[in-house]
Amino acid sequence: MIHQKRRQELLSRLPEDAVVIVSTNSEQKRNSDVSYPFRPDSNFWYLTGFEEPDAIAVFSKNNYTMYLRPKDQTKEIWNGVRLGVDLAPKTLLVDKAFDIDVFFENIDSLIKKDSIVYFDAPGNSVWKDNSSTNAHNHKIDSLYESVLQPLNPHISEMRLIKDKNEIQSMQEAADLAAKAHLNAMKSSRPGLYEHNIASGFDSMFRNENSEHAYPPIVASGENACVLHYTENNKELKDGDLILIDAGCEINGYASDITRTFPINGKFNVAQREIYNIVLEAQKSAIASIKPGASSNRPHEIACEIIKNGLIKLGIMGSHGELTKFYMHNTGHWLGLDVHDVGSKLIDDNFREFKSGMVTTVEPGIYIRKDDKIESKYWGIGIRIEDDVLVTESGNHILSEKAVKDIDAIENLMS
Ligand SMILES: [Mn+2]
């Protein structure tokens, strides 16, 4: 079982007598007695495979214990079946299972004095919700103060390198999101609303038993210049572009794709000029990705190309600030979390790419209304984002099925 292997691998990176405590989330209230859809904590899921809320796993070289919600007939009738304490050992391969309340009552006795506890405080919402009494709070505080080491850096290093099965899930997530982006290009036309385009993503993801990995951005016209625009409710205007940043989750693994295209299917001259700068920046940045290359190289390359392109068009002076038009980084790690774990720096230096890492590459240009800039460029916001796997020989673009060349987009939309 993959989760067992991961626990063993994690322990092999820690001292002999290490004890690991890892917890998942509680359900989060949306309003009244309605909760948001539950999503397990990524670290907890990675190490246990257990998908219920309110659980804490404790494991060491010789012991694996799960604290979880007990069976409860009334709650199960209303909210769904719980695994429960009795079935947990066989299902989760734990040595022992207890009611989660036992954990909070017995925190002190769980940790042997001479062991090193790896644990991330304050951790997940499960701690807040279950520690509502002062007595519990006090015990958790004392747990934090005992011989604790941060767990996150160790799991992050593991999660940063994806194995064959993880890559397979990420390929499927990229394929499905790419298909939904192509569908959006085909269904776009003036007079529709952003939410009409967004609903195509909802439907295609749900039809494959998948869901959004993050709230999608469907931004027409100048809305594209708002980086985290999620209102997604404006009318699509003839002559405008639309920027869509949307990805889905398969087996917990995210895709994260952005495409920008003309609502009416034809780029105008100004849009074409800006688009081709971003596209060249994106392709050149991807080309630099290979084992041993600096993980900051894609950003350096993208910035250089975007800067030169904007200067050439007279949008930016040669001493201008690039961050006025390109204010975010060119990529982030991708995995169980859309902004996945793993530091970019090692001892203040950018780490090198290694086979099995997955990064996004997503340069953009955003031009707000500005009297010093020709008005034909106002309101243009363009980002192109792909998901790129580092391979032994270089890289593979997981999201390559989502076309991005101007001719390919215009052909698809005609
Ligand atoms: Mn992204």
Side-chain angles (χ1 to χ4, degrees):
M1 184 179 170
I2 183 70
H3 307 286
Q4 190 173 24
K5 268 199 191 144
R6 286 173 184 160
R7 289 191 301 273
Q8 284 165 356
E9 166 66 25
L10 177 65
L11 287 170
S12 78
R13 295 167 181 235
L14 304 177
E16 192 67 19
D17 53 355
V19 175
V20 173
I21 302 178
V22 61
S23 56
T24 194
N25 295 305
S26 293
E27 287 186 299
Q28 298 297 307
K29 188 166 139 177
R30 180 176 181 273
N31 63 304
S32 176
D33 58 352
V34 179
S35 298
Y36 286 106
F38 179 72
R39 163 65 156 72
D41 174 85
S42 295
N43 280 346
F44 180 85
W45 199 11
Y46 182 79
L47 292 170
T48 69
F50 188 41
E51 300 192 345
E52 285 187 20
D54 294 329
I56 300 171
V58 181
F59 60 90
S60 60
K61 278 245 152 64
N62 347 310
N63 200 289
Y64 176 27
T65 307
M66 183 69 76
Y67 297 85
L68 72 171
R69 302 180 307 179
K71 296 293 278 183
D72 181 322
Q73 200 181 21
T74 308
K75 284 186 176 155
E76 290 186 53
I77 287 169
W78 285 91
N79 301 321
V81 173
R82 298 173 169 195
L83 177 64
V85 170
D86 293 344
L87 284 178
K90 207 175 144 196
T91 310
L92 302 174
L93 305 181
V94 297
D95 301 314
K96 284 184 204 147
F98 299 101
D99 183 334
I100 185 160
D101 285 337
V102 172
F103 181 89
F104 289 96
E105 282 157 23
N106 298 347
I107 285 174
D108 306 331
S109 58
L110 292 171
I111 314 301
K112 276 193 244 132
K113 286 245 166 358
D114 51 353
S115 53
I116 306 172
V117 181
Y118 286 80
F119 172 68
D120 290 312
N124 303 304
S125 52
V126 68
W127 298 91
K128 290 180 197 97
D129 287 8
N130 285 282
S131 62
S132 48
T133 69
N134 283 335
H136 284 172
N137 274 331
H138 181 73
K139 284 184 183 173
I140 291 161
D141 284 347
S142 67
L143 175 63
Y144 294 162
E145 285 158 15
S146 64
V147 273
L148 285 174
Q149 296 291 322
L151 177 61
N152 232 328
H154 302 280
I155 303 185
S156 298
E157 283 300 302
M158 286 176 63
R159 281 176 52 189
L160 188 55
I161 307 291
K162 276 75 180 174
D163 69 21
K164 217 175 73 208
N165 291 318
E166 294 178 292
I167 290 165
Q168 178 60 32
S169 294
M170 295 192 74
Q171 181 65 69
E172 286 173 26
D175 285 344
L176 178 56
K179 204 167 109 184
H181 277 272
L182 296 180
N183 177 62
M185 290 175 191
K186 283 187 269 189
S187 51
S188 161
R189 61 175 191 276
L192 289 178
Y193 283 76
E194 291 164 350
H195 50 261
N196 299 131
I197 301 299
S199 76
F201 285 83
D202 304 342
S203 161
M204 291 187 80
F205 292 169
R206 289 305 297 135
N207 265 318
E208 299 296 332
N209 195 24
S210 173
E211 57 198 309
H212 289 277
Y214 54 93
I217 297 165
V218 182
S220 64
E222 64 187 3
N223 298 330
C225 295
V226 178
L227 293 180
H228 287 164
Y229 175 83
T230 52
E231 290 162 37
N232 301 352
N233 59 6
K234 303 299 185 300
E235 190 177 346
L236 309 189
K237 301 266 168 53
D238 198 8
D240 278 351
L241 296 172
I242 183 167
L243 180 157
I244 303 176
D245 186 340
C248 59
E249 239 179 49
I250 300 270
N251 301 325
Y253 288 85
S255 54
D256 181 7
I257 302 177
T258 307
R259 289 293 182 266
T260 310
F261 55 88
I263 286 160
N264 64 16
K266 274 279 178 196
F267 286 87
N268 69 30
V269 175
Q271 292 164 350
R272 191 176 278 265
E273 287 171 333
I274 305 298
Y275 190 92
N276 278 329
I277 297 171
V278 179
L279 185 61
E280 190 200 335
Q282 205 245 10
K283 286 183 173 178
S284 302
I286 292 175
S288 75
I289 296 176
K290 58 184 179 197
S294 162
S295 61
N296 195 44
R297 192 75 191 119
H299 186 56
E300 290 170 354
I301 290 172
C303 287
E304 189 64 22
I305 290 172
I306 289 171
K307 192 174 159 192
N308 291 337
L310 291 174
I311 291 170
K312 210 168 151 194
L313 292 179
I315 293 171
M316 195 174 109
S318 49
H319 299 291
E321 272 298 319
L322 179 62
T323 51
K324 187 176 163 193
F325 304 100
Y326 180 36
M327 59 296 280
H328 58 78
N329 205 298
T330 300
H332 53 79
W333 306 124
L334 185 69
L336 282 171
D337 294 315
V338 65
H339 294 159
D340 208 33
V341 292
S343 65
K344 277 216 158 159
L345 299 172
I346 294 179
D347 301 333
D348 292 338
N349 296 311
F350 283 102
R351 75 187 307 152
E352 294 179 353
F353 285 121
K354 269 190 194 161
S355 175
M357 292 177 174
V358 180
T359 181
T360 66
V361 181
E362 50 179 310
I365 295 175
Y366 313 90
I367 308 172
R368 267 157 295 267
K369 185 173 185 267
D370 181 338
D371 291 334
K372 290 186 228 76
I373 297 169
E374 279 188 83
S375 61
K376 62 179 178 180
Y377 296 119
W378 292 357
I380 292 181
I382 293 171
R383 177 165 68 254
I384 306 169
E385 175 177 31
D386 278 306
D387 304 341
V388 180
L389 166 71
V390 186
T391 62
E392 296 290 346
S393 57
N395 69 69
H396 166 64
I397 305 175
L398 296 168
S399 49
E400 66 186 351
K401 286 182 183 144
V403 297
K404 60 186 175 186
D405 288 320
I406 284 183
D407 287 350
I409 291 173
E410 290 188 342
N411 279 336
L412 185 77
M413 295 182 73
S414 68

